[in-house]
Amino acid sequence: MKKISLKKIVGALFALMTFSTFGLYGQEFQASLFNEANQSMRIARQAQADVLSPRAFGEAIEAYNDAKEKYNEEGELSEIKEKLAKANGKFKESTENTKVGAVMFSSALSARVDARNAEANRFVSEMWVDAEEQMKDAAEDLEKGNADKAKEKSVEATKLYRNAELESIKANYLTNAKRLLETADKNKVYKVAPKTIGESKALVSKAEKELLENRYDTDDARYMAKEAEYQALLAMHISKEEKIYDDKDFETEDFLLMSYKPIATIGESLNIHSRFDKGVDVPVSEITNRIASDQLRIANLESSLFNYKVTNESLRGMLNEQQNMLASVKGKQSDEALKAQKRQDALQSRMDRMDEVNLKFEQVQQIFNKEEAEVFRQKDDVIIRMIGINFDVGKSQIKQEDYAKLTKLQKAMDLFKDANIVIEGHTDSQGGDELNLKLSQERSDAVLSYLNANTSINKARFSTRGFGESRPVANNETLGGRKLNRRIDIVIKPNFPEILLGSNK
């Protein structure tokens, strides 16, 4: 029998491994082949195309799955590419369709989010399916160009989602809270934690009343029902702890020292050496201030990272243009050399502009203290979150106490004389969706009106927009979170030179 050398065996194994990794049906090749379609699908999902453009999105998914199946079966590459091209096109089409649907179906989408948050798909699945079908029909009618019919169906979908949310809150949180309270009463928890049990029962009653009186704005009812459930669990926990303390014969000193430990542990993780000789207020304040500072630092670091990436791309572009210029000179193509020089100048201009914006950003940070505003970056934009400006509930009038902060705001905006500026209004989740949308718009308009009347601004650079409760930055189920969500954001959009790399224009 003919011997096979070790060298040939190793070579064959290496070839097999290489083919499995880089060959036609290897993992890296698959990632490259499906990359564009995967990105388009991710963008479509983020835009809720599966809800707002179900027909186009469904066709895209079908084509994508066909491509995947053919790939797994090692089918013809041309057929796989054809399917992926179709999927990519349909994903993009569905994403484009969402721009109209997101506006027309805003109320239905908001109701859908609330129903999902109440776990309607789990606790009242039939009602959820009915609402989803109605929403799908509305979206398909819009895709077909029948806007009137789509609007009618979206109104009905909104009602179905709201009903599903309502029933889910009753079936989920309220039922569970009542069951927990029954268990607590059987175990006589009220003897140990009467205040906590009393709070839980009061919240159940308030939630039931709220659901009856305001069935189309269930945020408060859902919050109260969940809080009632928590208070009942807390009362039972207190009852168990009380027995442990009794058995161990704990003194006040033991209890306090034990309660300080978790706070001290959190402080240590933040490199804070906590001291409790004045109680817990000081260490808790130190911890919360450090967290807020770190969050702002992270946001600014992310912005810096984005700037470095853009600068790196610009430097790469400049290097590429230098090479083009050299090639053009060698070939005596003076026109191409001039165009390359123009593109390089534009790249340099963008980098200079970015340095200028970074310097102004640092200056804006010095204008406000931490109680007045948070200043951070989102890619090219500078965001001034006016946390120090607070409106009365349901009102859009600016208070006299906030005038000084708005004067500071005008000073900050003056640093960006050629930038476009958007004044965004936001609310918490209490109140109806349409009312909150209107209120947030009125608040942003009020800020612009004040600036226009009391400071010198170029109104043409400004625009206002109300987002209602759709963009929370904190938990709407806490008082502090709702306060943070009732805010004005100033979005400064500096202008940067347009870069046309490789363009012949």
Side-chain angles (χ1 to χ4, degrees):
M1 186 170 69
K2 189 175 179 180
K3 291 184 178 180
I4 301 175
S5 69
L6 179 60
K7 185 176 180 180
K8 287 185 178 180
I9 294 173
V10 171
L13 286 171
F14 179 77
L16 180 61
M17 290 169 64
T18 302
F19 182 80
S20 66
T21 305
F22 301 102
L24 177 59
Y25 300 104
Q27 290 181 354
E28 292 197 9
F29 181 79
Q30 181 185 9
S32 174
L33 186 63
F34 282 75
N35 182 53
E36 188 175 3
N38 284 335
Q39 287 185 358
S40 296
M41 178 166 58
R42 183 168 60 253
I43 292 169
R45 287 192 187 279
Q46 287 173 347
Q48 292 185 282
D50 54 330
V51 178
L52 295 171
S53 183
R55 188 172 63 173
F57 186 83
E59 290 175 10
I61 289 292
E62 185 178 353
Y64 182 88
N65 288 338
D66 286 346
K68 210 163 190 180
E69 186 178 344
K70 287 185 179 296
Y71 182 88
N72 292 333
E73 293 173 355
E74 300 187 2
E76 288 292 332
L77 184 58
S78 59
E79 291 184 23
I80 296 171
K81 287 184 174 180
E82 183 182 340
K83 293 289 184 183
L84 285 173
K86 181 181 177 182
N88 189 48
K90 285 294 179 180
F91 280 133
K92 289 181 177 179
E93 179 187 332
S94 68
T95 301
E96 189 65 26
N97 291 345
T98 64
K99 294 178 181 178
V100 177
V103 176
M104 179 176 286
F105 302 143
S106 59
S107 294
L109 289 173
S110 180
R112 184 176 187 268
V113 169
D114 288 342
R116 185 192 288 165
N117 287 341
E119 299 181 82
N121 56 328
R122 178 182 170 194
F123 292 98
V124 286
S125 57
E126 289 185 8
M127 297 181 74
W128 171 262
V129 168
D130 288 345
E132 287 282 85
E133 286 295 324
Q134 190 71 15
M135 186 70 213
K136 183 181 177 184
D137 288 346
E140 286 180 346
D141 279 337
L142 186 60
E143 284 183 293
K144 294 173 186 175
N146 195 337
D148 291 338
K149 205 168 184 179
K151 196 167 185 178
E152 284 180 22
K153 289 183 178 178
S154 75
V155 171
E156 184 59 30
T158 302
K159 292 178 182 177
L160 291 173
Y161 282 128
R162 288 299 178 201
N163 287 335
E165 180 197 10
L166 181 71
E167 294 306 317
S168 183
I169 290 171
K170 290 179 181 178
N172 181 6
Y173 304 117
L174 276 177
T175 300
N176 196 41
K178 288 179 179 179
R179 181 176 54 79
L180 288 169
L181 285 170
E182 287 177 5
T183 303
D185 284 343
K186 286 179 183 177
N187 294 328
K188 299 182 179 179
V189 172
Y190 54 83
K191 290 185 176 181
V192 178
K195 294 177 182 178
T196 310
I197 281 293
E199 178 66 14
S200 178
K201 290 179 178 179
L203 284 167
V204 167
S205 298
K206 286 180 183 177
E208 289 179 322
K209 183 181 179 183
E210 186 69 20
L211 288 173
L212 287 173
E213 294 179 354
N214 199 4
R215 62 182 290 124
Y216 289 110
D217 180 26
T218 54
D219 288 325
D220 282 351
R222 184 173 66 247
Y223 163 71
M224 286 187 283
K226 288 173 70 176
E227 187 64 16
E229 185 179 348
Y230 163 71
Q231 293 289 345
L233 288 168
L234 178 61
M236 288 191 279
H237 173 73
I238 291 171
S239 178
K240 289 178 183 177
E241 291 292 300
E242 194 264 349
K243 291 177 182 176
I244 294 172
Y245 296 152
D246 274 354
D247 292 343
K248 292 186 177 180
D249 196 23
F250 268 32
E251 300 290 340
T252 302
E253 180 184 12
D254 298 320
F255 174 77
L256 287 174
L257 289 173
M258 187 174 63
S259 67
Y260 296 153
K261 266 191 172 181
I263 300 174
T265 301
I266 295 170
E268 285 173 12
S269 71
L270 296 170
N271 201 27
I272 295 173
H273 191 37
S274 301
R275 286 286 180 262
F276 300 94
D277 51 302
K278 295 180 181 178
V280 298
D281 289 346
V282 172
V284 167
S285 179
E286 289 175 341
I287 289 169
T288 54
N289 287 338
R290 175 67 60 81
I291 291 171
S293 175
D294 286 349
Q295 286 175 334
L296 187 59
R297 185 168 59 88
I298 289 168
N300 289 333
L301 285 172
E302 288 175 347
S303 173
S304 297
L305 178 60
F306 172 77
N307 287 338
Y308 287 133
K309 285 181 179 178
V310 172
T311 302
N312 186 46
E313 289 172 7
S314 297
L315 289 171
R316 287 178 183 274
M318 289 176 69
L319 177 61
N320 185 49
E321 296 304 340
Q322 289 278 11
Q323 292 170 341
N324 288 342
M325 287 171 65
L326 288 172
S328 297
V329 171
K330 287 178 182 177
K332 296 181 180 180
Q333 299 173 12
S334 57
D335 287 346
E336 288 300 317
L338 286 171
K339 290 174 183 176
Q341 180 63 56
K342 285 181 180 179
R343 290 193 292 272
Q344 182 176 323
D345 290 344
L347 282 164
Q348 183 62 57
S349 178
R350 180 182 176 87
M351 291 171 65
D352 292 342
R353 176 65 170 151
M354 187 167 290
D355 288 340
E356 180 187 347
V357 170
N358 289 341
L359 178 61
K360 290 179 177 179
F361 170 68
E362 291 174 2
Q363 291 173 340
V364 171
Q365 286 184 308
Q366 300 304 313
I367 292 174
F368 301 97
N369 62 45
K370 63 181 181 180
E371 284 78 29
E372 293 172 335
E374 293 177 355
V375 183
F376 56 96
R377 298 285 297 275
Q378 284 184 351
K379 296 186 177 179
D380 286 337
D381 297 342
V382 175
I383 314 295
I384 305 175
R385 179 157 292 157
M386 300 299 298
I387 56 176
I389 294 180
N390 291 301
F391 295 91
D392 288 333
V393 176
K395 303 292 184 182
S396 60
Q397 285 76 29
I398 294 172
K399 299 177 182 177
Q400 187 173 351
E401 64 199 52
D402 292 328
Y403 291 171
K405 301 183 192 87
L406 289 173
T407 301
K408 284 188 174 185
L409 177 61
Q410 191 257 339
K411 181 181 177 183
M413 293 187 299
D414 277 350
L415 293 170
F416 297 88
K417 293 188 182 299
D418 61 345
N420 293 318
I421 298 174
V422 183
I423 301 174
E424 296 182 351
H426 303 268
T427 70
D428 60 31
S429 63
Q430 293 186 319
D433 298 336
E434 292 184 10
L435 178 63
N436 280 337
L437 197 61
K438 179 174 178 288
L439 183 59
S440 64
Q441 183 64 54
E442 289 173 351
R443 287 174 175 173
S444 60
D445 289 340
V447 171
L448 180 57
S449 295
Y450 176 88
L451 291 171
N452 191 46
N454 296 278
T455 62
S456 55
I457 62 170
N458 177 7
K459 197 174 178 181
R461 295 195 295 123
F462 286 76
S463 62
T464 60
R465 188 169 181 190
F467 287 95
E469 61 186 75
S470 65
R471 293 188 176 183
V473 294
N475 191 341
N476 270 309
E477 294 184 355
T478 66
L479 289 172
R482 289 196 292 274
K483 183 178 179 182
L484 288 173
N485 289 332
R486 296 191 298 270
R487 69 191 192 278
I488 290 289
D489 285 352
I490 309 298
V491 183
I492 301 174
K493 296 179 173 293
N495 294 312
F496 287 91
E498 185 177 2
I499 309 299
L500 298 171
L501 293 177
S503 171
N504 292 321
K505 296 179 182 179

